[in-house]
Each structure stands twice: as structure tokens, then as C-alpha cells.
Amino acid sequence: MTAKILDGNALAQKLRADFKTRATVLTAQGMRPGLAVILVGDDPASQVYVRNKVNACLQAGIHSEKIGYPPDVDQRTVLDKIAELNADPRIHGILVQLPLPRHFDSDAVLEAISPTKDVDGFHAENVGALMQGNPRFIPCTPYGVMKFFADAGIELKGKEAVVLGRSNIVGKPMAMLLMQASATVTVCHSQTRDLAFHTRRADILVAALGKAKFVTAEMVKPGAVVIDVGINRLPDGKLCGDVDFGPVSEIAAAITPVPGGVGPMTITMLLANTLEAAEREAGR
Ligand code: GUN
């Protein structure tokens, strides 16, 4: 079997088709949607991600501001900025790019964002709402992954879904969404014994552990749907995912490539969450 390639660029384009119209309608109502992105430090990967987010906003007619700080900025300065943005009517979404430098208390920073502007869905109140099955904002990466399933008509009900990685950004919310879609979910992590035992049972396999080409063909059940959330840089400078794409794509039913799979969808769902935040504000 040769896998169907789940094309993130194509799906992103399809979903973004009406974003500009939604932004125009809001702008005409005096509510131009706005996103503020805070970046602390000079990590090159984070800089690229933030630039891509800001550019995507521009293309969709969403106002965006990047607020950059040097790596040694004190937490108080960032918290004060967040308070200012919480009160700013031009801003509907606030995102603090992670990871933050070690001297930061990341939880305290995320909790400082108003839950109604928390377009990443990382605030404890929004995590709780998601867990209760009543989400306000769904974290962008797992939200994008769910769109792949919906678009490709991939049934989740009753399926064995295995998530590799237990991060707050991807693994945990991903597991929650799959469970809510009535899959049977297993979450594996660095301490899991016999990981391949679990992955080989998976009808749906989501890899989000940050290890280049970690998932090999021997670990995948023939006919599985494989979603690769990893973005790793190889010594030659090329990007690759957590999945060994070539061999796995020969046995999977469907697979996302890296680049061009989950990445464009993460940004798309950030735009969707920002538009939703502004539409809720406009509807008040
Ligand atoms: N760092 C890696 N992924 C993300 C994300 O989805 N949101 C934020 N804020 N930081 C990240």
C-alpha cells in the first residue's frame, strides 16, 4: 500500500479561503481582528515560527503585532505587557511563544493571559474547559490534526489511537480530542516500556515527541493513519519529522509529510481561533 499524502498546505488554503471575508466583515463592524505575539529571546526556530504567524495574519487581513524581548528580560516586564494587551480592544488574541527562558515561570505567564484572548488554549481555565468537552479555544496543533481527519473522512469512533508525547501543547490536548471523538486512546512517553507494542496496535498514530525519524516502518500497523507533528533539523540542515517518512508511507493508509503537513495547519488554526475570538467580542 502506498499512503495517501495528507497535504497540509492544500488543506490550510481550503480552510483559509473564507478567513479574509470574515476579517473584512469584522473590520467593517469596527472590530478588525488582532493578534499579539510575544517572543522572548533569540531562538532561531522560534523566530521563524513567529514570523510565519505574523505573515499569515497579514495575508488574512488580521492585524498583528510582534513584541520581542531580549533573553534576559525580567518576567515582570512581560507580565505588565500582557496586562496591557488584555485591556487593549484592538487585540483579540495573545500568544506567548514557547519555550520561555529558564528564569521564567511559564505557567504564571500563561495564566496572566485573559482566558478570552488565549488563542493557544493554554490557560488553565481553557484546558479545563477542553477537558470537560466544552472548549473555548482548542490548542492549534491538535485542532489542525483533527481537521485532517475531518477533511479526509477518517473515522475515529472505536479506533485505537496512540499518541507519542505527553506535552501540554500537543500530546495531552490531542489525546483529549481523540477521546472526545470516541477513539480508544493510549498516550506513550519517554518512560513507556515497549513503545513499539503500542504503536503497532494503532489505527491512528500521532507522533509528537521531537525525535527525528523515530517512528520506523516496523513500528507501524499496515493501513494505519500516521500524523507527524515533529519538526527536527538534520545535520545537513534539512527538516524532517518524527516519522521515517519513506518506508512508513509504503505501509500506512495515510500520512502527513514534514514539511507541508501539520505545520501549515497549526498556523491556520491560530488564525481561526483569533477570528473566533474577535467574532465573539463583536457578538457581545
Ligand atoms: N511553541 C511550539 N509550539 C507552540 C504553540 O503552538 N504555541 C506557542 N505559544 N508556542 C509554541
Side-chain angles (χ1 to χ4, degrees), residues 213-220 242-244 247-248 251:
K213 301 188 183 184
F214 180 87
V215 177
T216 58
E218 299 70 49
M219 295 167 71
V220 175
D242 290 349
V243 176
D244 192 5
V248 173
I251 59 162

Side-chain angles (χ1 to χ4, degrees), residues 221-259:
K221 174 172 161 178
V225 173
V226 180
I227 306 288
D228 192 348
V229 179
I231 303 180
N232 310 288
R233 203 166 281 282
L234 294 169
D236 66 3
K238 284 195 186 137
L239 290 180
C240 81
D242 290 349
V243 176
D244 192 5
F245 182 84
V248 173
S249 65
E250 282 170 25
I251 59 162
I255 187 168
T256 60
V258 177

